[in-house]
């Protein structure tokens, strides 16, 4: 996709004396703009975010109370097993965490992640589906494990309707609260943590559910063939498919985080960073994971194996060429990358030709190397952005500060217009003396996709093109 597609760059107008630029495309009624800006201010407020998280938790708790009254009143149920409190709690927490995730995601796309809704709607749907499934799945696995643990600790325990309802209220509230906060504060770092947690827990659960205890004698993908059991089959392939989908979302987040950093390097005249290499590599790796999950090896060995081979080749090439597509990062990142690349080569040699372990051991080793590199890379990316003033906290603070200043400027403009004409708001020219978030030295926004105002489009009088904002972050 071209680098200038589907992104609104509000930096093309001349800079104001404060280092910020006026808002454009404001409707004639100033009250609409003021309401929008105050709404953004409320959305970026930590107090408002925590208050909304509590309301979401209360709503989930009420739903848990309703389920408990309808299902468990008048009967006793075990904590774990069939028709148990744990089963009902798992379903409840999945729904609560999924819906809370959607609410939090809707909030974040109106503030620091506006770029997510500036792309084609299909990308937003794919991202939302992946995030909802990840949050719901983690809630289900955590809930089932917790109730199983307590059932093993209190052997033979059953609870009545009141206790069951209380447990459902507690688990539903916790799932709603955590699900909302997770997506409302979504970032590259938190998303990578969610992906690693989901991937690891899904694989562990699929191994625990395997009916054939000797599945590992063949290869790791045996869990997805059905030979190890139907539950293991669905858990393994679903985990692989959803992890690939979330990895494509993660590639967009990484692209957005690296954009301003890379453009600042280009302005200094140093070697240009090629962010597209990382974006497309992670996107291809995600597609290969999805393909391997959708087409198990027993369905089509050549297709499944091709996905795995392409994944491995792309990852090795990505690591080997890191200094070419990402110059300017700390030297420790390059050294760590090459060490992990060496581990990957060593893991391959231990499989073939040394035959130290079988294919299962090789797949586990390669999976560990891939996720170890992602974790190290993303932590260093977060450190680099924080040092440059482009981290998550800086983005939220800039959006809130811009909303406050714009609201104050709009109120001042309205009062001035009222005093001069005596007839009402003075915002009738199509522009307002509001402000946009923090600027880079050349006047561009510090974070692409930011815009404080009711419209994404540019007015005819905004001045300058909007095409140099860069890519929209979608593959």
């Amino acid at each position: 996709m071209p680098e200038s597609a589907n992104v609104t760059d509000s930096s093309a107008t001349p800079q104001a004396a404060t280092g910020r630029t006026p808002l454009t495309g404001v409707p004639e009624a100033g009250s609409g703009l003021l309401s929008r800006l105050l709404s953004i201010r409320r959305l970026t407020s930590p107090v408002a975010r925590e208050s909304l998280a509590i309301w979401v938790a209360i709503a989930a708790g009420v739903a848990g109370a309703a389920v408990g009254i309808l299902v468990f009143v008048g009967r006793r149920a075990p904590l774990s097993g069939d028709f148990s409190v744990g089963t009902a709690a798992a379903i409840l927490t999945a729904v609560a965490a999924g819906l809370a995730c959607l609410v939090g995601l809707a909030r974040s796309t109106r503030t620091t992640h506006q770029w997510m809704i500036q792309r084609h709607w299909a990308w937003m749907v794919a991202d939302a589906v992946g995030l909802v499934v990840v949050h719901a799945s983690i809630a289900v696995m955590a809930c089932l494990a917790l109730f199983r643990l307590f059932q093993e600790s209190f052997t033979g325990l059953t609870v009545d309707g009141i206790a069951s309802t209380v447990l459902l209220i507690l688990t539903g509230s916790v799932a709603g609260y955590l699900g909302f906060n997770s997506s409302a504060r979504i970032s590259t770092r938190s998303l990578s943590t969610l992906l690693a947690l989901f991937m690891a827990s899904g694989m562990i659960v699929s191994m625990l559910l395997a009916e054939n205890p000797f599945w590992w004698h063949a290869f790791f993908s045996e869990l997805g063939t059905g030979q190890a059991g139907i539950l293991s089959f669905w858990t393994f392939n679903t985990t692989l498919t959803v992890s690939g989908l979330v990895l494509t979302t993660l590639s967009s987040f990484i692209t957005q985080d690296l954009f301003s950093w890379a453009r600042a390097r280009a302005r200094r005249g140093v070697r240009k960073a090629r962010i597209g290499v990382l974006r497309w590599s992670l996107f291809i790796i995600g597609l290969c994971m999805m393909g391997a999950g959708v087409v198990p090896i027993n369905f089509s060995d050549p297709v499944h194996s091709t996905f795995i081979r392409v994944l491995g080749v792309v990852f090795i090439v990505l690591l080997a060429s890191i200094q070419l597509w990402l110059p300017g990062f700390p030297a420790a990142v390059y050294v760590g990358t090459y060490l992990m690349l060496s581990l990957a080569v060593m893991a391959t040699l231990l499989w073939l030709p040394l035959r130290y372990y079988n294919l299962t051991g090789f797949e586990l080793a390669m999976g560990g190397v891939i996720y170890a590199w992602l974790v190290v890379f993303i932590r260093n990316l977060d450190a680099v952005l924080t040092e440059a003033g482009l981290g998550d906290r800086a983005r939220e603070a800039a959006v809130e500060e811009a909303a406050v200043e714009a609201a104050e400027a709009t109120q001042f403009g309205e009062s001035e217009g009222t005093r001069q004409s005596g007839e009402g708001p003075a915002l009738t020219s199509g522009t307002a003396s509001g402000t946009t978030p923090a600027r880079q030295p050349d006047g561009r926004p510090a974070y692409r996709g930011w815009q404080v105002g009711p419209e994404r489009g540019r007015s005819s009088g905004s001045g300058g093109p909007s095409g140099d904002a860069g890519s929209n972050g979608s593959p």
Side-chain angles (χ1 to χ4, degrees), residues 27-38:
E28 293 186 359
S31 59
L33 172 63
L34 179 60
S35 176
R36 171 69 183 273
L37 295 173
L38 294 178

Side-chain angles (χ1 to χ4, degrees), residues 214-457:
F214 302 107
W215 62 267
W216 56 273
H217 287 187
F219 39 76
F220 206 77
S221 296
E222 178 77 4
L223 292 170
T225 62
Q227 300 298 319
I230 189 64
L231 292 178
S232 178
F233 168 83
W234 284 108
T235 303
F236 179 86
N237 290 315
T238 301
T239 299
L240 204 59
T241 303
V242 175
S243 295
L245 180 60
V246 175
L247 188 58
T248 62
T249 303
L250 181 61
S251 70
S252 295
F253 272 79
I254 294 176
T255 300
Q256 293 293 326
D257 282 348
L258 282 172
F259 178 83
S260 295
W261 175 83
R263 190 165 57 183
R265 282 183 54 83
R267 287 197 307 273
R268 293 199 302 269
V270 295
R271 190 151 55 94
K272 182 180 179 181
R274 301 183 181 279
I275 309 304
V277 174
L278 176 64
R279 177 183 61 185
W280 282 106
S281 297
L282 291 180
F283 184 69
I284 292 173
I285 291 174
L287 288 182
C288 289
M289 291 176 63
M290 293 172 62
V294 172
V295 185
I297 194 169
N298 60 317
F299 284 15
S300 177
D301 188 357
V303 175
H304 181 90
S305 299
T306 299
F307 281 126
I308 298 299
R309 291 190 183 98
V310 172
L311 186 154
V313 170
V314 171
F315 179 72
I316 290 175
V317 171
L318 178 68
L319 265 60
S321 60
I322 183 172
Q323 283 187 284
L324 298 178
W325 56 264
L326 194 65
F329 251 53
V333 175
Y334 302 138
V335 174
T337 298
Y338 294 138
L339 286 176
M340 291 184 187
L341 182 60
S342 301
L343 289 176
V345 173
M346 186 181 300
T348 304
L349 294 176
L350 288 175
W351 172 47
L352 289 175
L354 298 179
R355 296 189 178 278
Y356 179 78
Y357 45 43
N358 63 0
L359 183 56
T360 303
F362 170 71
E363 290 175 328
L364 286 173
M366 288 299 295
V369 170
I370 291 175
Y371 279 98
W373 180 81
L374 274 176
V375 169
V376 171
F377 173 75
I378 289 172
R379 289 183 65 88
N380 279 272
L381 170 61
D382 183 69
V384 168
L385 293 175
T386 300
E387 188 175 74
L390 301 173
D392 296 324
R393 293 182 179 178
R395 289 198 293 265
E396 291 188 1
V399 171
E400 183 174 5
E401 178 188 356
V404 172
E405 293 185 9
E408 292 175 350
T410 304
Q411 288 177 318
F412 177 77
E414 289 179 349
S415 61
E416 284 294 314
T418 302
R419 284 195 297 268
Q420 292 176 6
S421 63
E423 295 178 356
L427 296 177
T428 59
S429 62
T431 62
S433 56
T435 56
T436 54
R439 301 270 143 190
Q440 295 182 16
D442 66 347
R444 293 186 174 92
Y447 187 69
R448 49 194 300 219
W450 272 1
Q451 185 178 359
V452 181
E455 297 181 6
R456 295 189 215 154

